[in-house]
Amino acid sequence: MKNVFRQGPITSEFIGNSIQKHQSKTSIGAHNIFLGQVRADQIENKQVTAIEYSAYEEMANKKFHEIREAAFEKFELTCSHIYHSIGKVGVGEICLFVFVSAPHRKVVFDAIEYLVERIKKEAPVFGKEIFEDQSHVWKVNK
Amino acid sequence: MTINILYFGLIAEAIQCTQEKLEVGKTTSIKEIKKLLINKYNVLEKLSYQIAVDQKLVNDHQIISKTSEIAILPPFAGG
């Protein structure tokens, strides 16, 4: 089972390298990317400075695998990749990177939405929103 | 029989425990496990969570077996 989790933020260098790796796959005509970024939310007059992610990693990796497989069945994709942060990610940093590629553009728009929505809803990942004074609240996906 | 229970996120924080072994009857349903846990940790009554058995979400009627890994999962917050 592929491990989707990466320690800390997902860097723009990592994202750039992932794009570059696909240059040899010349049947691809369209990529689409979703990047989740940590927001500096205001909660009861306190500002979020980071989210610390934890997960039921074994189940989450199985779930990510299942979601990817379902996307391949549903859409005509050449490639699909998911990376999610584990541990602390500061505001403005990237915590989720979803990347799909296909011969033609139409499916990549639908596929990225399908993947991201299922990840948000089904992956057992938990996030602690940490404030400047080190107190915290637990985040819940809407 | 002895079952292995894992706790995550907000739930683990609230009960100050991430993993423990519990002694239960031979055929125990999730409903019974919930009752047992609420007895042990009153705070669970007020918290929202789902239960996974062997990494799959289950409902209250699911019966667990000796090899089951039980996980108590607070609301998801990925992405």
Side-chain angles (χ1 to χ4, degrees), chain A residues 53-56 58-59 62 84 95-96 120-128 136 138-141, chain B residues 6 8-11 13 50 52-57 69-79:
Chain A
Y53 287 102
S54 58
Y56 184 10
E58 220 179 330
M59 176 176 167
K62 272 189 189 170
H84 198 296
C95 55
L96 173 64
K120 292 254 179 192
K121 200 165 155 232
E122 298 176 40
V125 176
F126 316 102
K128 202 156 88 168
H136 68 265
W138 289 90
K139 179 177 172 259
V140 176
N141 278 349
Chain B
L6 308 174
F8 291 90
L10 179 156
I11 301 284
E13 184 181 84
Q50 300 183 86
V53 173
D54 294 335
Q55 290 133 33
K56 283 205 172 79
L57 293 178
E69 179 179 272
I70 318 266
I72 314 297
L73 307 171
F76 300 164

Coordinates of all heavy atoms in Angstrom, one line a residue, chain A residues 53-56 58-59 62 84 95-96 120-128 136 138-141, chain B residues 6 8-11 13 50 52-57 69-79:
Chain A
Y53 N -1.6 17.8 11.9 CA -2.3 16.7 11.4 C -1.9 15.4 12.0 O -0.7 15.1 12.2 CB -2.2 16.6 9.9 CG -2.9 17.7 9.1 CD1 -2.2 18.7 8.6 CD2 -4.3 17.6 9.0 CE1 -2.9 19.7 7.9 CE2 -5.0 18.6 8.3 CZ -4.3 19.7 7.8 OH -5.0 20.6 7.1
S54 N -2.9 14.5 12.3 CA -2.6 13.2 12.7 C -3.6 12.3 12.0 O -4.6 12.8 11.4 CB -2.8 13.0 14.2 OG -4.1 13.3 14.6
A55 N -3.4 11.0 11.9 CA -4.3 10.2 11.1 C -4.3 8.7 11.6 O -3.4 8.3 12.3 CB -3.9 10.2 9.7
Y56 N -5.4 8.0 11.3 CA -5.3 6.6 11.5 C -4.7 6.1 10.2 O -5.4 5.8 9.2 CB -6.8 6.1 11.6 CG -7.0 4.6 11.9 CD1 -6.0 3.7 12.2 CD2 -8.3 4.1 11.8 CE1 -6.2 2.4 12.4 CE2 -8.6 2.7 12.0 CZ -7.5 1.9 12.3 OH -7.7 0.6 12.6
E58 N -3.1 3.7 8.7 CA -3.3 2.4 8.0 C -4.6 2.5 7.3 O -4.7 2.1 6.1 CB -3.3 1.3 9.0 CG -2.6 0.0 8.5 CD -2.6 -1.0 9.6 OE1 -2.7 -0.7 10.8 OE2 -2.7 -2.2 9.2
M59 N -5.7 2.9 8.0 CA -7.0 3.0 7.3 C -7.0 4.1 6.3 O -7.6 3.9 5.2 CB -8.1 3.3 8.4 CG -9.4 3.5 7.8 SD -10.7 3.7 9.1 CE -12.1 4.3 8.2
K62 N -5.4 3.0 3.1 CA -6.3 2.1 2.4 C -7.4 2.9 1.7 O -7.8 2.6 0.6 CB -7.0 1.1 3.4 CG -6.2 -0.1 3.6 CD -7.1 -1.1 4.4 CE -6.2 -2.3 4.9 NZ -6.9 -3.1 5.9
H84 N -0.7 13.9 1.4 CA -1.3 14.6 2.5 C -0.3 14.8 3.6 O 0.5 13.8 3.9 CB -2.5 13.9 3.1 CG -3.4 14.7 3.9 ND1 -3.0 15.3 5.1 CD2 -4.7 15.2 3.7 CE1 -4.0 16.0 5.6 NE2 -5.0 16.0 4.7
C95 N -1.0 21.5 2.6 CA -1.2 20.3 3.4 C -1.8 19.1 2.5 O -1.8 18.0 3.0 CB -2.1 20.6 4.6 SG -3.6 21.3 4.1
L96 N -2.3 19.5 1.4 CA -2.9 18.4 0.5 C -2.5 18.7 -1.0 O -2.7 19.9 -1.4 CB -4.4 18.4 0.7 CG -5.2 17.5 -0.3 CD1 -4.9 16.0 -0.1 CD2 -6.7 17.7 -0.1
K120 N -11.8 14.6 1.6 CA -12.3 15.4 2.7 C -13.3 14.7 3.6 O -13.4 14.8 4.8 CB -13.0 16.7 2.2 CG -12.0 17.6 1.5 CD -11.8 18.8 2.4 CE -10.8 19.8 1.8 NZ -10.4 20.8 2.8
K121 N -14.2 13.9 2.9 CA -15.3 13.2 3.6 C -14.9 11.9 4.2 O -15.4 11.6 5.3 CB -16.4 13.0 2.6 CG -17.8 12.8 3.2 CD -18.9 12.9 2.1 CE -20.1 12.1 2.6 NZ -20.5 11.2 1.5
E122 N -14.0 11.2 3.6 CA -13.8 9.8 4.0 C -12.5 9.4 4.6 O -12.4 8.3 5.2 CB -14.0 8.9 2.7 CG -15.4 9.0 2.2 CD -15.6 8.2 0.9 OE1 -15.0 7.1 0.8 OE2 -16.2 8.7 -0.1
A123 N -11.5 10.3 4.5 CA -10.2 9.9 5.0 C -10.1 10.2 6.5 O -10.3 11.3 6.9 CB -9.1 10.6 4.2
P124 N -9.7 9.2 7.3 CA -9.6 9.4 8.8 C -8.3 10.2 9.1 O -7.4 9.7 9.6 CB -9.6 8.0 9.4 CG -9.1 7.2 8.3 CD -9.4 7.8 7.0
V125 N -8.4 11.5 8.8 CA -7.3 12.4 9.1 C -7.9 13.5 10.1 O -9.0 13.9 9.9 CB -6.8 13.1 7.9 CG1 -5.8 14.2 8.2 CG2 -6.3 12.1 6.9
F126 N -7.1 13.8 11.1 CA -7.6 14.7 12.1 C -6.6 15.9 12.2 O -5.4 15.8 12.0 CB -7.6 14.0 13.5 CG -8.2 12.6 13.3 CD1 -7.4 11.5 13.3 CD2 -9.6 12.5 13.1 CE1 -8.0 10.3 13.1 CE2 -10.2 11.3 12.9 CZ -9.3 10.1 12.9
G127 N -7.2 17.1 12.5 CA -6.4 18.3 12.5 C -6.6 19.2 13.7 O -7.8 19.5 14.1
K128 N -5.5 19.5 14.4 CA -5.6 20.4 15.5 C -5.1 21.8 15.1 O -4.0 22.0 14.6 CB -4.5 19.8 16.5 CG -4.8 20.2 17.9 CD -4.1 19.1 18.9 CE -2.7 19.5 19.2 NZ -2.1 18.6 20.3
H136 N -5.4 25.3 21.5 CA -5.9 24.7 20.2 C -7.3 24.3 20.2 O -8.0 24.2 21.3 CB -5.0 23.5 19.9 CG -5.3 22.3 20.8 ND1 -4.5 22.1 21.9 CD2 -6.2 21.3 20.8 CE1 -4.9 21.0 22.5 NE2 -6.0 20.5 21.9
W138 N -10.0 21.5 17.7 CA -10.0 20.5 16.7 C -10.8 20.9 15.5 O -12.0 21.2 15.7 CB -10.4 19.1 17.3 CG -9.4 18.6 18.3 CD1 -9.4 18.8 19.6 CD2 -8.3 17.7 18.0 NE1 -8.3 18.2 20.2 CE2 -7.6 17.5 19.2 CE3 -7.8 17.2 16.8 CZ2 -6.5 16.7 19.3 CZ3 -6.7 16.4 16.9 CH2 -6.0 16.2 18.1
K139 N -10.2 20.7 14.4 CA -10.9 21.1 13.1 C -11.9 20.0 12.7 O -11.6 18.9 12.9 CB -9.8 21.3 12.0 CG -10.3 21.7 10.7 CD -9.0 21.9 9.8 CE -9.4 22.1 8.3 NZ -9.2 20.9 7.5
V140 N -13.0 20.5 12.1 CA -14.0 19.5 11.5 C -14.3 20.0 10.1 O -14.6 21.1 9.9 CB -15.3 19.5 12.3 CG1 -16.3 18.6 11.7 CG2 -15.0 19.1 13.8
N141 N -14.2 19.0 9.1 CA -14.5 19.4 7.8 C -16.0 19.6 7.6 O -16.9 18.9 8.1 CB -14.1 18.2 6.8 CG -12.6 18.3 6.5 OD1 -12.0 19.3 6.8 ND2 -12.1 17.3 5.9
Chain B
L6 N -8.1 1.5 19.6 CA -7.3 2.7 19.3 C -8.1 4.0 19.3 O -9.3 3.9 18.9 CB -6.7 2.6 17.8 CG -6.0 1.3 17.5 CD1 -5.6 1.4 16.0 CD2 -4.7 1.2 18.3
F8 N -8.2 8.3 18.5 CA -7.6 9.3 17.8 C -8.0 10.7 18.1 O -9.1 10.9 18.6 CB -7.8 9.0 16.3 CG -7.1 7.8 15.8 CD1 -7.7 6.6 15.8 CD2 -5.8 7.9 15.3 CE1 -7.0 5.4 15.4 CE2 -5.1 6.7 14.9 CZ -5.7 5.5 15.0
G9 N -7.2 11.7 17.7 CA -7.5 13.1 17.8 C -8.1 13.6 19.0 O -7.7 13.3 20.1
L10 N -9.2 14.3 18.9 CA -10.0 14.9 20.0 C -10.4 13.8 21.0 O -10.4 14.1 22.2 CB -11.2 15.5 19.4 CG -12.3 16.2 20.2 CD1 -13.0 17.2 19.3 CD2 -13.3 15.3 20.7
I11 N -10.7 12.6 20.6 CA -11.2 11.6 21.5 C -10.0 11.1 22.4 O -10.1 11.0 23.6 CB -11.7 10.3 20.7 CG1 -12.9 10.7 19.8 CG2 -12.1 9.2 21.7 CD1 -14.2 11.0 20.6
E13 N -7.4 12.8 23.1 CA -7.1 13.9 24.0 C -8.1 13.9 25.2 O -7.7 14.1 26.4 CB -7.2 15.2 23.3 CG -6.7 16.4 24.1 CD -6.9 17.7 23.3 OE1 -8.0 18.3 23.2 OE2 -5.8 18.1 22.7
Q50 N -17.1 8.1 15.1 CA -17.5 6.9 14.4 C -16.5 5.8 14.8 O -15.5 6.0 15.3 CB -17.3 7.1 12.9 CG -18.1 8.3 12.3 CD -17.9 8.4 10.8 OE1 -18.6 7.7 10.0 NE2 -16.9 9.2 10.4
A52 N -14.5 2.3 13.6 CA -14.0 1.4 12.5 C -13.5 0.1 13.1 O -12.9 0.0 14.2 CB -12.8 2.1 11.8
V53 N -13.9 -1.0 12.4 CA -13.4 -2.3 12.8 C -12.6 -2.9 11.7 O -13.0 -2.9 10.5 CB -14.6 -3.3 13.1 CG1 -14.1 -4.7 13.3 CG2 -15.4 -2.8 14.3
D54 N -11.4 -3.2 12.0 CA -10.4 -3.6 11.0 C -10.4 -2.6 9.8 O -10.4 -3.0 8.6 CB -10.7 -5.0 10.5 CG -10.5 -6.0 11.6 OD1 -9.7 -5.7 12.5 OD2 -11.1 -7.1 11.6
Q55 N -10.3 -1.4 10.2 CA -10.2 -0.2 9.2 C -11.4 0.0 8.3 O -11.2 0.7 7.3 CB -8.9 -0.4 8.4 CG -7.7 -0.2 9.3 CD -6.6 -1.3 9.1 OE1 -6.5 -1.8 8.0 NE2 -5.9 -1.6 10.1
K56 N -12.5 -0.5 8.7 CA -13.8 -0.1 8.0 C -14.8 0.4 8.9 O -15.0 -0.1 10.0 CB -14.3 -1.4 7.3 CG -13.6 -1.8 6.1 CD -14.5 -2.6 5.1 CE -13.8 -2.9 3.8 NZ -12.8 -3.9 3.8
L57 N -15.5 1.5 8.5 CA -16.5 2.0 9.4 C -17.7 1.1 9.5 O -18.0 0.4 8.6 CB -17.1 3.3 8.8 CG -16.1 4.5 8.7 CD1 -16.7 5.7 8.1 CD2 -15.6 4.9 10.1
E69 N -9.5 -5.1 15.1 CA -8.9 -3.9 15.6 C -10.0 -2.8 15.6 O -10.6 -2.5 14.6 CB -7.7 -3.5 14.7 CG -7.1 -2.2 15.2 CD -5.9 -1.8 14.3 OE1 -4.8 -2.3 14.6 OE2 -6.1 -1.1 13.3
I70 N -10.3 -2.2 16.8 CA -11.3 -1.3 16.9 C -10.7 0.1 17.0 O -9.8 0.3 17.8 CB -12.2 -1.5 18.2 CG1 -12.4 -3.0 18.4 CG2 -13.4 -0.6 18.2 CD1 -13.7 -3.5 17.9
A71 N -11.3 1.1 16.2 CA -10.7 2.4 16.3 C -11.9 3.4 16.5 O -12.9 3.3 15.9 CB -10.0 2.8 15.0
I72 N -11.7 4.3 17.4 CA -12.7 5.3 17.7 C -12.2 6.6 17.1 O -11.2 7.2 17.4 CB -12.8 5.6 19.3 CG1 -12.9 4.2 20.0 CG2 -14.0 6.4 19.6 CD1 -14.1 3.4 19.7
L73 N -13.0 7.1 16.1 CA -12.6 8.2 15.2 C -13.5 9.4 15.3 O -14.6 9.4 15.0 CB -12.7 7.7 13.7 CG -11.9 6.4 13.4 CD1 -12.2 5.9 12.0 CD2 -10.4 6.6 13.6
P74 N -12.9 10.5 15.8 CA -13.6 11.8 15.8 C -13.8 12.3 14.4 O -13.4 11.7 13.4 CB -12.6 12.7 16.6 CG -11.3 12.2 16.3 CD -11.5 10.7 16.2
P75 N -14.6 13.4 14.2 CA -14.9 13.9 12.9 C -13.6 14.2 12.1 O -12.6 14.6 12.6 CB -15.6 15.3 13.2 CG -16.2 15.1 14.5 CD -15.3 14.2 15.3
F76 N -13.7 13.9 10.8 CA -12.5 14.0 9.9 C -12.2 15.4 9.5 O -13.1 16.2 9.4 CB -12.7 13.2 8.6 CG -13.0 11.7 8.9 CD1 -13.5 10.9 7.9 CD2 -12.7 11.1 10.1 CE1 -13.8 9.5 8.1 CE2 -12.9 9.7 10.3 CZ -13.4 9.0 9.3
A77 N -10.9 15.7 9.3 CA -10.5 17.1 9.0 C -9.4 17.1 8.0 O -8.5 18.0 8.1 CB -10.1 17.8 10.3
G78 N -9.4 16.2 7.1 CA -8.3 16.1 6.1 C -8.3 17.3 5.1 O -9.4 17.9 4.9
G79 N -7.2 17.6 4.5 CA -7.1 18.5 3.4 C -7.0 20.0 3.9 O -7.0 20.3 5.0

